[in-house]
Amino acid sequence: MTETMKDFLATLRMLDPARQFRGRLKRAVRLLLNWWIWLTTRLGGGSYTDFYERMMDRRARVGSLFGKSALAVTGTPDERRRRFAVEYFAAHGWITPTTTFLDYGCGGGATGVNFIRYLDTGRYTGADISGESLRRAREWVGKSRLADRCPTFVHLPGGSLAGLNDRTFDLIYAQDVVTHMPPDNIRALIREIARHMRFDGVFLMTFTYADGDCEYQDDLVNWHHNPRFFVAASAGSPLGCEEVVEWTKAGYKPGEVSRMVRFHLRPASGR
């Protein structure tokens, strides 16, 4: 079955009234659970970052309330959107098997497995705020028989990049990670990640598009952004930023508007 036919059938299923009701019910239950985790985190003196770490740990540990296993709750490696990035990057010459690659916010590894399969041994590093998600990522590596590629996984508790030590990378990729980060956290990331980029390195970031300024969306964890936000956020940092216009037309997420920005070290930035 072609990808176009799969997308068509998926659209038909979305039009089913019973399916729409189940979708609304799932969203309502997920929202209530997120609010509970948020409330208990805040009452304990925690931050948004602490809340998000707890939420992702729970999902990776126990799975979905609606039947998805803990291993599959963040997706599976054979999904189209999980394969898309590595295929697109390779086709455009943005990545080669020898690229040193950081998968920032790798989650449960569903996308990372495809990069590990493409890259040479020891070239992949996955990093995430959720220790439980990283455990699931290691499981996917084992199930995919890729342990001999020697991927590295790094826990970033509280969002700190300290676990990366002084390592630098040719390519850093954050797939939709900033969709779940408040604006101030994104600004801090842009400032701090520069020290982990090689001088000719690139930082690619995808996000959900908003026609306007930063917009708070739903479920406590989703933001939409306009590319102008990232250009402004990089001002005064060691990184320059521009939108990757060709990505907009690539069809990464059918039915959704995904955008991409590219960061590079400014000349004589001194990091």
Side-chain angles (χ1 to χ4, degrees):
M1 185 182 298
T2 66
E3 297 290 354
T4 301
M5 181 59 70
K6 289 180 181 178
D7 291 341
F8 175 71
L9 293 176
T11 301
L12 288 181
R13 288 194 294 270
M14 289 173 63
L15 296 176
D16 175 35
R19 187 181 182 89
Q20 291 178 353
F21 173 77
R22 289 194 299 271
R24 287 193 291 268
L25 177 62
K26 289 179 181 180
R27 183 181 181 279
V29 172
R30 185 172 61 247
L31 181 59
L32 286 172
L33 179 58
N34 287 349
W35 271 105
W36 172 251
I37 298 173
W38 165 256
L39 179 62
T40 55
T41 301
R42 295 296 288 168
L43 287 175
S47 65
Y48 170 86
T49 303
D50 298 322
F51 150 72
Y52 190 76
E53 185 172 351
R54 283 186 62 196
M55 185 191 71
M56 295 308 296
D57 276 345
R58 187 207 66 81
R59 290 186 67 196
R61 185 168 52 249
V62 303
S64 166
L65 296 174
F66 299 94
K68 279 191 177 181
S69 71
L71 189 58
V73 72
T74 55
T76 57
D78 61 346
E79 291 180 50
R80 178 186 178 189
R81 67 190 182 103
R82 303 299 179 180
R83 305 190 316 267
F84 187 87
V86 66
E87 294 171 357
Y88 189 85
F89 292 3
H92 286 72
W94 298 351
I95 190 171
T96 70
T98 62
T99 297
T100 51
F101 179 78
L102 174 61
D103 188 358
Y104 177 82
C106 66
T111 298
V113 161
N114 293 287
F115 280 102
I116 294 167
R117 185 177 288 116
Y118 172 81
L119 293 165
D120 287 346
T121 298
R123 297 286 177 167
Y124 174 92
T125 298
D128 201 87
I129 194 174
S130 167
E132 289 292 326
S133 293
L134 291 175
R135 185 164 65 87
R136 296 302 179 188
R138 294 184 182 97
E139 288 186 39
W140 272 124
V141 170
K143 287 175 67 71
S144 304
R145 300 181 179 180
L146 291 171
D148 61 341
R149 296 295 179 92
C150 302
T152 299
F153 291 99
V154 179
H155 186 206
L156 307 177
S160 169
L161 300 182
L164 295 174
N165 299 316
D166 295 324
R167 296 185 62 192
T168 57
F169 302 89
D170 299 315
L171 178 61
I172 301 174
Y173 178 45
Q175 178 177 287
D176 298 344
V177 177
V178 296
T179 298
H180 310 299
M181 293 175 65
D184 285 346
N185 292 26
I186 297 173
R187 294 184 185 98
L189 172 65
I190 292 171
R191 291 192 303 269
E192 295 167 9
I193 201 118
R195 66 186 296 265
H196 298 289
M197 295 171 61
R198 295 189 172 170
F199 288 107
D200 56 350
V202 173
F203 177 25
L204 298 174
M205 178 190 291
T206 61
F207 55 94
T208 306
Y209 176 73
D211 185 14
D213 295 328
C214 176
E215 174 184 320
Y216 184 82
Q217 190 201 5
D218 60 20
D219 291 8
L220 294 176
V221 296
N222 294 318
W223 279 263
H224 288 186
H225 297 284
N226 187 283
R228 293 191 300 271
F229 166 80
F230 299 98
V231 175
S234 66
S237 80
L239 300 182
C241 176
E242 66 275 338
E243 183 178 4
V244 182
V245 178
E246 57 265 34
W247 179 264
T248 307
K249 303 176 182 179
Y252 159 60
K253 282 187 175 181
E256 295 185 31
V257 182
S258 174
R259 295 288 180 94
M260 175 184 281
V261 288
R262 178 195 291 117
F263 296 90
H264 58 272
L265 285 169
R266 302 181 195 273
S269 66
R271 291 201 270 194

